[in-house]
Amino acid sequence: MNYLETVNWLFHQLPMYQTQGASAYKKDLTNTVALANHLGNPEKGLTCIHVAGTNGKGSTSHLLASVFQEAGYRVGLYTSPHLKDFRERIKINGVEISEDFIVDFVAQHKPFFEKNELSFFEMTVGLALEYFRKEQTDINIIEVGMGGRLDSTNIVTPEVSVITNIGFDHMQFLGTTLEAIAFEKAGIIKPKVPVVIGEYTTETKKVFENKAQQTHSEIYFASDLVDETPRTALVGDYQNHNKKTALQAIKLIQSQQKFTISDKNIEDGFLNVIQNTGLQGRWQQINENPKVICDTAHNSHGLKIVLKQILNENYDELHIVLGVVNDKDLGEILPLFPKNARYYFCKPNIPRGLETQILHEKAKEFQLRGKVYNSVSIAYQTALKKATANDFIYIGGSTFVVAEIL
């Protein structure tokens, strides 16, 4: 198989949570452990930082990677999902994994994958860990896919564990209370490995403290410990928490004295994060007049902050290109959206995309008015035509909506 055939096989032959939802979810690490053993346990030779959380995992991971790059280290970065190309998930110093490595890896191990019925995510984690081992990275930033305790990435033993925040998302898997979700995220806390918590509530703080006490792990609450952070190219309001979280994790790494990181490395890493790592889709401006912003926020925790930032913008009229996935709790997110906006309802082009007519009908219940469009692209092009130079267009609701625009 060539690269496109290989990636197509990864996407479609075996379950992929991002496109298929619940049918792809595995409830234990048996397959991941079997794959790691099959590969000779690449995770055991890697130095890592492990990042979990409901929102902000990607931004925090990219900030951490950028700082290490500025300090001169060879940095592996594993994140998900991708926006345009599968290779975005696995990078070293901002450079995506080669097509050839993916093709060879899958070809070599395909019989094992098929025999053990591995999921898309399990195979991808194995690919990333094996790639970082062969490329002899100095440090690896590993982002959790979903949850933590049962996530395929949870076979790594990191230098520092990071949990950005807890919000209501993936509740069919992780639980319906903040405490239950926090318990799943806290599953990445390892014995005697320090943990940084980005944001917390009264309910979640107890869960984190109890887990840290059980594992004899030092715990640091970044929002209480960090006041000032360097300027960064990431301009969304929600990045304030991510910056604090990343900075506290870096301070811990500095205190361990295994890496040499200067204050200048931190400043430059924060400032150059986009060009160093290729991060996209976070309050990203793609047009000037009218101003067009796309953002991958997709749950109530993230959308509250983004929508508040939109309302602080200056514009004549607000246009919102909106699409979601079919397991999204519309009763929770739609009330957050402003009523005095013009909506362009669309469906992201994946099996999990919610049918546009359903979104349209539900939006009416919350007095959100607009029209239905056959694709994300048509919805956006229509918004551009209808908007004047002084208007504001927001594109969001799903990572996959943003991906189609970018």
Side-chain angles (χ1 to χ4, degrees):
M1 296 188 293
N2 61 25
Y3 171 69
L4 290 177
E5 290 167 338
T6 300
V7 171
N8 191 57
W9 182 83
L10 284 169
F11 286 165
H12 296 105
Q13 175 147 333
L14 297 169
M16 177 183 176
Y17 170 72
Q18 275 85 6
T19 58
Q20 291 178 233
S23 66
Y25 187 62
K26 298 291 182 74
K27 290 184 168 55
D28 61 54
L29 292 175
T30 303
N31 277 3
T32 305
V33 171
L35 176 58
N37 291 337
H38 169 73
L39 296 173
N41 298 104
E43 77 282 1
K44 292 184 178 176
L46 298 177
T47 302
C48 300
I49 296 175
H50 200 193
V51 183
T54 301
N55 293 302
K57 297 188 299 291
S59 296
T60 302
S61 295
H62 283 77
L63 284 167
L64 290 169
S66 184
V67 170
F68 278 100
Q69 284 175 233
E70 290 288 348
Y73 293 104
R74 188 162 170 77
V75 187
L77 176 62
Y78 175 75
T79 58
S80 63
H82 61 274
L83 287 174
K84 299 300 289 182
D85 185 345
F86 171 77
R87 296 186 304 135
E88 294 168 26
R89 294 170 179 255
I90 303 169
K91 299 178 180 178
I92 294 176
N93 284 16
V95 178
E96 295 170 358
I97 185 173
S98 72
E99 293 182 359
D100 286 346
F101 193 96
I102 297 168
V103 170
D104 292 345
F105 178 84
V106 172
Q108 182 180 351
H109 302 291
K110 192 163 174 269
F112 181 87
F113 298 156
E114 292 176 326
K115 179 183 176 183
N116 291 275
E117 298 181 338
L118 295 193
S119 73
F120 170 89
F121 197 75
E122 288 161 347
M123 290 186 290
T124 305
V125 169
L127 169 64
L129 298 178
E130 179 69 357
Y131 181 61
F132 296 152
R133 175 172 68 174
K134 287 198 171 177
E135 290 294 318
Q136 298 182 318
T137 49
D138 298 311
I139 181 74
N140 303 278
I141 316 301
I142 308 294
E143 181 193 334
V144 166
M146 180 173 63
R149 183 174 65 94
L150 300 177
D151 188 78
S152 293
T153 63
N154 204 27
I155 59 172
V156 303
T157 301
E159 303 299 305
V160 177
S161 301
V162 177
I163 302 173
T164 57
N165 53 50
I166 302 298
F168 290 112
D169 203 12
H170 305 307
M171 290 184 290
Q172 67 270 49
F173 309 116
L174 306 181
T176 57
T177 66
L178 289 177
E179 292 97 329
I181 298 170
F183 174 80
E184 294 298 327
K185 309 282 187 189
I188 73 164
I189 301 174
K190 302 291 195 309
K192 298 184 179 178
V193 174
V195 57
V196 172
I197 308 297
E199 303 169 70
Y200 64 87
T201 65
T202 305
E203 305 101 305
T204 63
K205 188 176 186 181
K206 293 174 187 172
V207 175
F208 296 139
E209 288 177 331
N210 287 342
K211 178 67 175 182
Q213 189 173 19
Q214 291 168 19
T215 57
H216 305 287
S217 303
E218 295 177 358
I219 188 166
Y220 300 82
F221 295 95
S223 56
D224 297 341
L225 297 171
V226 178
D227 294 321
E228 295 295 319
T229 57
R231 288 189 307 121
T232 176
L234 304 181
V235 293
D237 288 353
Y238 53 83
Q239 298 294 358
N240 293 330
H241 290 296
N242 299 331
K243 289 192 293 180
K244 288 185 177 184
T245 306
L247 185 57
Q248 183 58 48
I250 290 292
K251 286 183 175 181
L252 262 181
I253 291 290
Q254 286 176 314
S255 71
Q256 293 173 347
Q257 298 184 337
K258 294 179 183 178
F259 294 88
T260 302
I261 299 173
S262 68
D263 290 343
K264 181 75 162 56
N265 297 150
I266 297 172
E267 289 176 15
D268 291 345
F270 274 49
L271 197 59
N272 301 328
V273 58
I274 292 175
Q275 66 195 62
N276 281 347
T277 67
L279 178 63
Q280 294 190 85
R282 274 65 169 187
W283 195 262
Q284 183 172 347
Q285 184 169 342
I286 59 173
N287 196 69
E288 186 67 41
N289 297 307
K291 186 173 183 179
V292 179
I293 294 290
C294 58
D295 193 279
T296 55
H298 57 275
N299 52 44
S300 59
H301 186 277
L303 284 167
K304 281 177 186 173
I305 302 170
V306 169
L307 292 168
K308 181 180 177 183
Q309 186 168 356
I310 290 173
L311 296 179
N312 289 330
E313 292 280 334
N314 292 316
Y315 50 78
D316 291 340
E317 186 176 13
L318 174 60
H319 305 255
I320 296 181
V321 177
L322 185 65
V324 298
V325 291
N326 59 21
D327 54 2
K328 193 59 58 185
D329 184 349
L330 297 179
E332 186 177 58
I333 66 167
L334 289 178
L336 304 174
F337 282 85
K339 295 178 176 61
N340 60 339
R342 187 186 297 194
Y343 286 85
Y344 304 76
F345 299 108
C346 51
K347 173 190 171 184
N349 188 27
I350 58 166
R352 264 178 79 215
L354 180 67
E355 292 300 329
T356 317
Q357 202 58 48
I358 297 174
L359 175 60
H360 184 225
E361 291 300 320
K362 192 70 176 177
K364 282 183 186 175
E365 296 178 22
F366 299 97
Q367 292 81 53
L368 307 182
R369 305 298 177 190
K371 293 184 178 179
V372 167
Y373 296 89
N374 289 332
S375 72
V376 173
S377 175
I378 293 172
Y380 174 49
Q381 291 303 322
T382 307
L384 274 179
K385 287 176 185 174
K386 291 184 180 294
T388 67
N390 295 322
D391 288 354
F392 186 96
I393 300 174
Y394 171 72
I395 303 163
S398 165
T399 299
F400 305 102
V401 171
V402 173
E404 288 187 50
I405 294 301
L406 294 179

